[in-house]
Structure formats: C-alpha cells, structure tokens
Amino acid sequence: LDRSSAASDVYKRQGLTVSALGLGTVKIGRDKGVKYPNSFTIPDDRAVTELLAQAQDLGINLIDTAPAYGHSEQRLGQLMSQRQDWVIVTKVGEEFDNNSGDSHFDFSPEHVRFSVERSLQRLNTDYLDCVLIHSDGNDLAIIEKGTLDALNDLKKAGLIRATGMSTKTVAGGIASLNHADMAMVTYNLHQQDEAPVIEHAAARQKGILIKKAFASGHLNDTLDDPVQESLDQILGIAGVSSIIAGTINPAHLQENVAKARQACKMAAQ
C-alpha cells in the first residue's frame, strides 16, 4: 500500500515510509461527543488486537491517535506489537474527559511538553513519529502562542520526528507548513476549500495527511461507489501523503485497502 509522491519526502528525511492509507483510532477509545451517522460499541482488547494485525497484514503502517480520543493512546500502547513497524501520529492541545464527555483545549508550551511526555508513556514508546496540534479552529492564534515552537523544541530533543498541525483554516494550514513538517487537512467530495494548503505543501515538499476523506460517514449515497471515488480523487492529488480513515469493522478495513490500492494504481498511470 505504498504511495510515491514528493510529499512523502518529509517522511523519508526522517527515515520513514508511510502507507497511502492510515488507520484512525477514535472508535477504539471514545464513543461520546462524536459525529458519526451510526452508533457503535468500543471494541474489546481482542477485537482491537485483531484489527491492528489485520491492518498490518494489509500493508498499513500509519496509525493516528490523540489524547482527545479517550482511551485510544493507552490501548494502543498496550496492544500494539512491534512498535518499530508502526508510524505513530498523535496530537496535543485538545483534552477529552471520559467521565463528562467534554473536551477542552490547552495550547500553552507547558502543556505541550506535558502532553507529549504523557503520550510517550501511554503509547509505551520513547519517541513519537509525528505530533500535530489538535486545533480548535483558531489556527493562527495557536501558532502565535508558540505551540508549534514548543513542538519543534521537542523534535530537536529527539522525542518527535516530525511536527505539524491538524488545521481548520487555509491560512492556518499554510502557516503551519511554513513552521513545521506537515499539516492535516479536511478534504473530501463535499469539502475542498483547503485545497490551497495541499498545493502549498506540494510546492515545498511538505507532508499532508487527509482527515474526513469520507466525510465521517456522510458521503453522498447517490454515487455508485463514493468510497472509491473519494480515494481516486484524493490519492490522485499531488502533495497528499496519506489518508487517515477510522474504522473498527474488519470488512470495511479490507474494502478500504483494496480500493486504496486501486486508486494508487490509477494515480501512478
């Protein structure tokens, strides 16, 4: 499930190769305050272990988590085998309270260090491949606060390999790319206003991760195959490194990978 693009250079410089499809892990740790069309049950340890093994067998090596995903980090730290085979993306800034189901944000440099050190402990690792700021929408104000600078300091200290921001604005995405290695942006069949961020990354050989590629399950069901059309379009864009797609359904995971392979073949022609 490899993808060759200029945007992948940011990973190669860090000794990393990432799969075109990454596994999002919201649903293994949080079921409150999420915006999916259907309810779900958080899977038990056996199901998560089997899902991770399946993902690895299918060629996925990129895994996306966050403190805001409830117990996701802790569970991955306990259930992931062979840490060196995974490229782990986590985040700082948004905190989720499992008891109340509420989120709050803290972008202070002090909290950045605390959050990264906690993620290292939770994920049972001594380094994080990528840490992104989990924006609340005020992207530029967060950067001005020194949050990215704090992440870059931790990168210099060897705790992080790559830094960036999961943004919500075009200006914020471009600014984050100017100060860091990558950005995570929303892009799908319905929402494409952040395309200039992808173009900016491609021109500078920076990394782009795509979130909400399937519109969190709200794609237009009048299309014959909205998932395939989404993957074809997104993986055909210069500058896109990988799509983060969250699922706890083994059949959906296998289907997504098969369709991502088809999209990568088409993009390479």
Side-chain angles (χ1 to χ4, degrees):
L1 195 60
D2 294 334
R3 171 171 167 77
S4 298
S5 72
S8 298
D9 287 349
V10 65
Y11 299 100
K12 292 175 182 176
R13 287 195 293 271
Q14 307 301 332
L16 304 172
T17 301
V18 296
S19 50
L21 199 66
L23 181 64
T25 61
V26 176
K27 291 182 178 180
I28 74 167
R30 173 177 172 179
D31 59 0
K32 298 176 182 177
V34 291
K35 299 177 181 178
Y36 298 106
N38 300 312
S39 60
F40 63 92
T41 300
I42 293 176
D44 61 21
D45 285 356
R46 179 179 177 180
V48 173
T49 301
E50 290 174 352
L51 188 75
L52 294 173
Q54 180 191 14
Q56 202 164 35
D57 288 344
L58 290 170
I60 292 175
N61 74 338
L62 182 63
I63 196 158
D64 177 76
T65 184
Y69 298 169
H71 298 295
S72 175
E73 286 186 319
Q74 298 99 309
R75 300 193 74 197
L76 289 174
Q78 295 166 2
L79 302 175
M80 271 193 311
S81 62
Q82 299 175 319
R83 161 68 179 96
Q84 69 275 10
D85 293 337
W86 292 100
V87 176
I88 299 176
V89 178
T90 192
K91 305 176 189 73
V92 298
E94 182 176 352
E95 296 288 321
F96 176 73
D97 187 323
N98 283 290
N99 295 319
S100 67
D102 297 325
S103 283
H104 70 276
F105 294 87
D106 187 340
F107 300 109
S108 67
E110 296 79 12
H111 186 74
V112 167
R113 174 170 283 278
F114 164 79
S115 184
V116 166
E117 291 177 346
R118 182 185 58 189
S119 291
L120 289 167
Q121 183 177 26
R122 286 177 171 178
L123 288 161
N124 193 27
T125 182
D126 56 4
Y127 68 95
L128 299 167
D129 296 298
C130 177
V131 179
L132 305 174
I133 297 169
H134 218 156
S135 177
D136 62 355
N138 298 301
D139 298 339
L140 293 178
I142 294 168
I143 293 172
E144 291 171 1
K145 194 184 291 285
T147 312
L148 266 180
D149 292 336
L151 277 183
N152 287 331
D153 287 343
L154 294 171
K155 178 183 173 182
K156 292 175 184 176
L159 299 181
I160 302 171
R161 290 185 174 187
T163 64
M165 181 185 287
S166 178
T167 58
K168 296 190 177 181
T169 64
V170 171
I174 290 173
S176 68
L177 289 170
N178 291 340
H179 289 83
D181 302 300
M182 66 187 64
M184 178 183 278
V185 301
T186 297
Y187 192 94
N188 56 55
L189 295 177
H190 304 316
Q191 189 173 349
Q192 301 176 6
D193 54 304
E194 293 176 65
V197 182
I198 302 174
E199 295 167 5
H200 190 81
R204 288 155 182 80
Q205 295 189 345
K206 296 293 183 81
I208 287 289
L209 300 177
I210 300 296
K211 58 185 173 180
K212 301 180 182 177
F214 307 142
S216 300
H218 297 279
L219 284 176
N220 186 348
D221 58 9
T222 63
L223 298 172
D224 290 338
D225 191 340
V227 171
Q228 186 70 68
E229 292 197 34
S230 298
L231 292 168
D232 289 348
Q233 182 180 89
I234 297 169
L235 292 176
I237 299 172
V240 171
S241 306
S242 186
I243 293 171
I244 302 298
T247 185
I248 51 175
N249 185 315
H252 287 167
L253 180 61
Q254 187 164 4
E255 177 186 358
N256 288 346
V257 169
K259 292 180 178 181
R261 290 186 192 280
Q262 179 62 32
C264 286
K265 288 180 182 178
M266 189 174 74
Q269 291 176 354

